[in-house]
Amino acid sequence: MNTLGEALVFTFATGAVVLFCRAFPFIFFRTGNGEGNRGAGWISFVEKIVPPAAMTVLAVSSVASSIKANVYESLPVLAAAGVTAALHLWKRNSLISIFGGTALYMVLKQVLKGF
Amino acid sequence: MSRLQFNSRLFKAAVKYSIPVLLGYATIGIAFGLLLVNAGYPWWLSLVMSLVLYAGAGQFMAIGLFAAGTTLWEICLMELVLNARHMAYGLSMLKRLPGKGFMRLYCIFGLTDETFALLSSLPQGDDADAGIIPPGSDRDLFMFYVTLLDQFYWVSGSVIGAAAGSLIPFNFEGIGFALTALFVVLLIEQILRVKKPHVFVISGLVTVLSVIFIPGRFSLLTAMALSLALVSLLGQTGKGEKA
């Protein structure tokens, strides 16, 4: 675990990284020719490929690494992730999906402790 | 600077327009605050992160990386990949954000997924503003208010969550799953929006293999780099076949 001091430094550093991402087009396409061909291929890669790939990696790795860390975790993690996904496909409301999945996970952890 | 004078009618319209984000940010912010305190950090770090970093998924991911004892370069690289999508937001808002000065700078800083969703779906053209922006009022100031209100909701939520987490003696064991749930939700949104199955299949397989074979926190970074490299390589050939 990082110390509080490290966490603070990392917060400011990553804040700068995020600001760089948000300011990037305003710095490099200042004239408003964002549609111009300079860097257009690269921008369309960032726009079309990075978000789906990044989200797949984050979702799959957070499920897979908690299963790997402890095999007995498999059931609660898979069940809660499945319910989160099902709730989201059904209602398409992030709050319901996240809270529903998390609540189920917390309950399953408590219940399975008894065995 | 005269344009920054407070306009209560415009402010009320901005509050009304941003209510969906209030609901989302307050509740997800509370979950973030709970999670951060649960990971062993003081409540005010939640305030600092929401003021300075101000990126929902980015802040959730940061908790996980903090807990894993990450290094500065790793966390910066991960946040760069995660937030690269914001470059595309700015590109489509180049001509639409407030013209210049502090309002423009702040609107760039605060261009999160949700704020982008609100600002980019504002109708364009003066006639179309009726009903959302009071007729004849300052469109730039309205966008500034919406951006400011959104961050206010996020900061409030995360501070409330952090305070609750440090004050109320409750067993929050398992609350960390909220992070996994958030990623699952964001992934489904991507799957429904992006009709490119090969991206999801390749990234998913690469990630599973990385988690199995690469130790510790390096698996995430490896998976990220390998997926982007493989998808861009194989995507090229896919395009060639179609054309």
Side-chain angles (χ1 to χ4, degrees):
Chain A
M1 181 177 151
N2 290 119
T3 64
L4 178 59
E6 283 171 332
L8 271 174
V9 172
F10 292 4
T11 298
F12 280 89
T14 54
V17 169
V18 172
L19 183 59
F20 168 77
C21 292
R22 290 180 187 157
F24 184 87
F26 298 92
I27 297 168
F28 292 96
F29 300 94
R30 197 177 297 176
T31 51
N33 290 329
E35 300 81 14
N37 47 18
R38 188 165 61 109
W42 184 76
I43 279 287
S44 97
F45 177 74
V46 165
E47 191 173 8
K48 298 202 177 95
I49 303 300
V50 174
M55 283 313 156
T56 311
V57 171
L58 287 173
V60 173
S61 78
S62 66
V63 170
S65 52
S66 48
I67 291 174
K68 188 196 175 188
N70 177 356
V71 185
Y72 301 103
E73 274 279 290
S74 305
L75 179 66
V77 168
L78 286 176
V83 165
T84 305
L87 277 175
H88 198 68
L89 287 171
W90 180 35
K91 288 283 186 185
R92 204 81 191 272
N93 179 330
S94 321
L95 299 179
I96 296 177
S97 332
I98 293 173
F99 277 81
T102 308
L104 175 70
Y105 180 77
M106 292 172 82
V107 169
L108 280 179
K109 289 286 281 183
Q110 290 295 323
V111 171
L112 289 179
K113 242 185 211 170
F115 290 92
Chain B
M1 278 316 227
S2 62
R3 294 169 78 203
L4 258 173
Q5 267 180 354
F6 185 70
N7 178 333
S8 69
R9 198 167 60 125
L10 203 55
F11 188 76
K12 276 179 202 155
V15 171
K16 196 177 153 200
Y17 188 58
S18 60
I19 280 177
V21 175
L22 163 66
L23 299 176
Y25 270 9
T27 36
I28 303 200
I30 288 174
F32 168 76
L34 280 174
L35 215 61
L36 187 71
V37 169
N38 203 52
Y41 294 100
W43 69 269
W44 53 263
L45 182 62
S46 183
L47 175 67
V48 174
M49 288 180 81
S50 295
L51 284 175
V52 174
L53 176 51
Y54 188 36
Q59 284 179 225
F60 270 97
M61 188 177 74
I63 301 177
L65 293 174
F66 286 173
T70 184
T71 65
L72 183 61
W73 298 113
E74 283 172 77
I75 193 169
C76 285
L77 208 57
M78 294 298 301
E79 293 281 351
L80 184 67
V81 174
L82 180 65
N83 291 290
R85 67 188 189 283
H86 290 178
M87 293 180 185
Y89 298 167
L91 204 60
S92 68
M93 294 300 287
L94 272 178
K95 291 174 183 165
R96 293 208 241 161
L97 284 191
K100 51 185 155 185
F102 175 73
M103 285 202 282
R104 182 173 179 84
L105 292 180
Y106 181 72
C107 286
I108 293 172
F109 164 80
L111 200 59
T112 59
D113 302 70
E114 285 78 3
T115 304
F116 171 72
L118 284 186
L119 296 186
S120 65
S121 51
L122 274 176
Q124 286 181 285
D126 294 333
D127 296 333
D129 291 348
I132 298 175
I133 306 177
S137 51
D138 189 342
R139 193 184 170 86
D140 288 358
L141 189 58
F142 181 81
M143 293 203 272
F144 175 72
Y145 282 161
V146 169
T147 309
L148 191 66
L149 281 165
D150 283 357
Q151 187 170 19
F152 174 72
Y153 305 145
W154 177 249
V155 169
S156 311
S158 59
V159 169
I160 291 170
S166 37
L167 293 176
I168 304 166
F170 179 78
N171 183 5
F172 288 111
E173 192 191 335
I175 187 84
F177 186 82
L179 179 61
T180 303
L182 173 74
F183 291 149
V184 168
V185 164
L186 291 174
L187 171 59
I188 290 176
E189 286 295 328
Q190 287 293 329
I191 292 174
L192 294 176
R193 193 178 311 147
V194 183
K195 308 277 184 268
K196 290 184 193 311
H198 73 281
V199 177
F200 300 105
V201 174
I202 295 170
S203 316
L205 285 176
V206 167
T207 308
V208 170
L209 292 176
S210 303
V211 169
I212 294 174
F213 292 109
I214 293 164
R217 58 183 204 270
F218 293 107
S219 58
L220 193 57
L221 207 55
T222 311
M224 212 52 110
L226 269 181
S227 308
L228 289 178
L230 272 178
V231 168
S232 62
L233 275 176
L234 298 174
Q236 293 297 326
T237 56
K239 223 184 266 170
E241 280 159 18
K242 262 180 214 163

